[in-house]
């Protein structure tokens, strides 16, 4: 019977939820499950809108919940939100289903989800791409991470508030301040990255990323997150959780600058000795 089943928590991701939304909700759910003594599972749909399973990206040894298992659970349990104001009323329910694109409002004594992010290990193919590219182009000197959303699929608020011109102006100003500084560009439109490379020397980006949100593209996105996290500063788009992943992966020890805000430390030149552990291996320049 259901009463005899273990208590569990399942995060439920929508087909349109992007990488940053999925990661912060899944890891927030994992933290909440541990805090509440529940088993953790996650529903992570793979389809034309998002072509990679979590296990295609990271070593993530937790049960994946199928569409049919979720449908059965939904006949008995409601979908709940990120605010977690429902915790007390739902404490005796055998299953919590949490569906949201937003960061969970975790209890103060629960483990912060960014700590769990920093504990994740990319799958070997992704890890090799990160370390290989870093070793070939970025190791040994500080650089600026530049993350641009220019594809038509990107949120309109992001494209309106963070045009490519804002990034190129920022890069030009930073090059004036630090003539030797390099750039790593993560962009969802390859031609935009190529144009920036034409304008700025020592400007690098991953090529051969595959089709938008395909498995290949999402694996490249994870590599981008780690390479951005190894920078001294991240220039990121407004209203996007992707650069926030990189900022958390860096332990918040670098500045994240968008057209609307700045968070984290002021710009201090630094570099990482292991791009797979950007928070733990950062050293001043």
């Amino acid at each position: 019977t259901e009463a005899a089943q273990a208590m569990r928590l399942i995060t439920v991701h929508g087909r349109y939820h992007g990488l940053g939304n999925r990661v912060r909700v899944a890891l927030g759910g994992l933290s909440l499950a541990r805090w509440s003594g529940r088993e953790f599972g996650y529903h992570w749909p793979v389809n034309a809108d998002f072509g990679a399973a979590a296990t295609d990206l990271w070593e993530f040894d937790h049960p994946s919940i199928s569409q049919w298992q979720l449908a059965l659970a939904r006949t008995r349990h409601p979908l709940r939100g990120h605010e977690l104001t429902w915790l007390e009323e739902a404490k005796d329910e055998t299953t919590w289903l949490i569906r949201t694109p937003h960061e969970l409002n975790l209890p103060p004594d629960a483990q912060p989800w960014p700590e769990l992010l920093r504990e994740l290990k990319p799958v070997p193919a992704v890890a090799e791409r990160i370390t290989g590219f870093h070793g070939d182009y970025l190791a040994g000197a500080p650089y600026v991470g530049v993350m641009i959303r220019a594809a038509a699929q990107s949120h309109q608020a992001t494209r309106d508030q963070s045009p490519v011109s804002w990034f190129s102006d920022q890069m030009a100003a930073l090059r004036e301040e630090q003539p030797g500084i390099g750039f790593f560009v993560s962009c969802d439109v390859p031609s935009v990255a190529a144009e920036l490379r034409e304008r700025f020397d020592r400007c690098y980006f991953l090529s051969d990323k595959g089709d938008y949100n395909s498995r290949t593209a999402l694996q490249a996105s994870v590599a981008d997150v780690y390479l951005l996290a190894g920078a001294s500063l991240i220039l990121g788009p407004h209203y996007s959780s992707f650069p926030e992943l990189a900022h958390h992966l860096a332990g918040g020890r670098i500045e994240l600058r968008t057209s609307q805000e700045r968070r984290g430390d002021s710009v201090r030149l630094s570099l990482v000795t292991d791009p797979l552990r950007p928070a733990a291996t950062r050293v001043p320049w």
Side-chain angles (χ1 to χ4, degrees):
T1 66
E2 186 177 37
Q5 294 176 359
M7 306 287 269
R8 61 180 180 169
L9 180 153
I10 299 171
T11 52
V12 181
H13 305 283
R15 65 178 295 151
Y16 299 112
H17 291 172
L19 181 64
N21 294 335
R22 291 180 185 229
V23 168
R24 65 185 180 184
V25 173
L27 296 182
L30 176 58
S31 174
L32 184 62
R34 291 175 176 174
W35 177 86
S36 59
R38 290 172 174 260
E39 295 182 355
F40 173 72
Y42 66 102
H43 173 66
W44 180 296
V46 177
N47 46 50
D49 300 301
F50 196 95
T55 50
D56 291 326
L57 308 175
W58 283 280
E59 297 176 4
F60 198 61
D61 186 22
H62 299 283
S64 176
I65 306 302
S66 72
Q67 184 67 42
W68 303 113
Q69 289 173 309
L70 175 62
L72 178 60
R74 287 191 63 181
T75 65
R76 304 176 182 179
H77 307 283
L79 293 174
R80 300 185 178 276
H82 69 284
E83 303 90 347
L84 306 191
T85 53
W86 47 264
L87 282 178
E88 181 60 26
E89 69 182 56
K91 64 182 179 180
D92 295 326
E93 288 193 17
T94 57
T95 300
W96 293 343
L97 302 177
I98 302 176
R99 185 184 190 277
T100 177
H102 303 294
E103 181 175 349
L104 302 190
N105 186 23
L106 291 169
D109 54 341
Q111 185 178 16
W113 70 264
E115 291 185 7
L116 298 175
L117 173 65
R118 292 190 286 273
E119 293 172 5
L120 290 180
K121 295 182 179 179
V123 296
V126 176
E128 290 169 9
R129 190 165 194 188
I130 295 166
T131 56
F133 190 92
H134 185 268
D136 288 344
Y137 300 106
L138 301 172
Y143 63 93
V144 173
V146 183
M147 190 264 154
I148 303 173
R149 289 283 195 214
Q153 296 93 328
S154 299
H155 197 285
Q156 190 64 47
T158 299
R159 288 185 286 137
D160 288 346
Q161 299 296 327
S162 306
V164 175
S165 59
W166 180 82
F167 291 95
S168 60
D169 289 347
Q170 290 286 312
M171 293 168 70
L174 288 166
R175 184 57 68 80
E176 287 272 338
E177 297 170 12
Q178 299 286 343
I181 200 75
F183 298 105
F184 171 73
V185 176
S186 168
C187 185
D188 50 10
V189 177
S191 61
V192 171
E195 288 171 10
L196 290 173
R197 184 171 60 185
E198 288 296 315
R199 178 173 176 184
F200 299 99
D201 62 347
R202 299 184 299 283
C203 182
Y204 309 103
F205 59 90
L206 290 175
S207 57
D208 302 321
K209 287 189 170 184
D211 295 332
Y212 187 85
N213 267 8
S214 65
R215 179 175 179 268
T216 298
L218 289 163
Q219 288 183 326
S221 292
V222 171
D224 278 355
V225 168
Y226 282 80
L227 295 169
L228 289 169
S232 291
L233 161 71
I234 300 173
L235 301 176
H238 173 62
Y239 202 70
S240 173
S241 60
F242 191 90
E244 293 177 0
L245 277 189
H247 190 245
H248 286 308
L249 194 61
R253 296 175 59 191
I254 57 177
E255 181 185 336
L256 170 58
R257 182 186 303 176
T258 76
S259 60
Q260 304 298 308
E261 65 173 339
R262 298 186 181 193
R263 67 178 72 174
D265 292 339
S266 59
V267 180
R268 300 171 184 167
L269 294 184
S270 60
L271 60 133
V272 300
T273 57
D274 180 355
L276 299 178
R277 299 188 302 135
T281 66
R282 184 171 299 278
V283 294
W285 174 253

